[in-house]
Amino acid sequence: MTYSKNECLSKDELISLQLQRLQETLVRVYNLVPFYKEKFNNLGIKPSDIKSLEDLSKLPFTKKKDLRDNYPYGLFAVDMDQIVRIHSSSGTTGKPTVVGYTEHDMDVWSEVMARVFTMGGLTSRDILQNSTGYGLFTGGLGFHTAAERMKMAVIPSSTGFTSRQLLLLKDFKATAITGTPSFALHMAEKAKAEGYDIKKDFSLKVGFFGAEPASEGLKNEISRVWGIHYVEVYGLSEIIGPGVAASCMHSHLLHINEDHFYPEIIDLTTGEVLPEGERGELVVTSLTKQALPIIRYKTGDITSLTRIPCKCGRTIARIESIVGRADDMLLINGVNVFPSQIEHVLSHVDGITLNYQIIAHKKGYLDKLQVDIELNENIMSENIHQLDNLKKHIEHEMLNNLYINVDVKLVAPKSIIRSEGKAVRVIDKRKDI
Ligand SMILES: [Zn+2]
């Protein structure tokens, strides 16, 4: 079941719709946003020069920094009296980024999110516990508005208050839940500790999760403990919020709503557009937004794109689950390596923990990558032969998956220094030279 016919257009119909919307968007930003007019003029490009979707690659990228530099409303293409909603994401440094929506934008947003709920099998008969944060963050209200549009019963429980969430979940009989993967896992642990029988006490059949990366292992674990189908939801406020892409019931890849958000995958070093199937940074151009149209926005997220038809019948392209952030990429002797790929390999090995540290250094002219991994307490062994086999096994798996040689060093449990807050996973000693 699909929510919009635009999810199932033929290739020609889709391309023609995308091109028409792109050309309208370019005329709007050129005429209404001085930032874009100046950028296009500097390159000697007029909106009328963009005659095909491929021509889009002639245009410059928009970066998060551009939003900050034009804080708060410098990139808006409408007067403030047309704005009906403002959201903002907190920056770790400096000014936050500000996004605005017209009534039309709110309609687009709730439509693409309704598509996501439909991908997960929801209808007006469902009860949704929306355990995503409400407020300036786009998550909570993004889900909420679409659930109302679909005439579901929506419970705005927001995040936190885990015991109360569990009580509501049992008594109000929600059939679907939203949240971050880590909160879903935390709730499951708390449910067990409080004596709930997850499969009997709750009525959940599907969960919509996003806002933070989750490995396949974590997604499977959440599906298993809750007994639900896991829908991965991707979005970012600069594009619209949640609803840019999501996985359906038939595939772990995410359908991207490309009739509204045109995707390109670019090479991290050259910025060139990559062919289908190759991994690079996701760049998105909004095709229908009024308040904050955005051209070739560099999301910083690493993925690949495929147009192989999906069993569900949707023809829109699919992206793979985000592999990592462009900022986290390490270049080792010309090969791109993401910490998430290393974690993925480690998550399939017995006898070790996921407490690890990646150290890049130079030996002569060559880059070397070392990974220190804490052993599992139960495996801590005096048997040198056994440890040597484990080390060789991991090194073999790294070579198979990452195509580079990695030196593995197995270390005693709890010997890697813990940091307050975000773990320091990567130490790049090459930068010191
Ligand atoms: Zn599908």
Side-chain angles (χ1 to χ4, degrees), residues 248 255 310 312:
C248 64
H255 285 283
C310 180
C312 72

Side-chain angles (χ1 to χ4, degrees), residues 404-417:
I404 55 164
N405 284 302
V406 174
D407 298 322
V408 166
K409 198 172 145 199
L410 297 171
V411 300
K414 300 198 171 63
S415 63
I416 291 176
I417 298 163

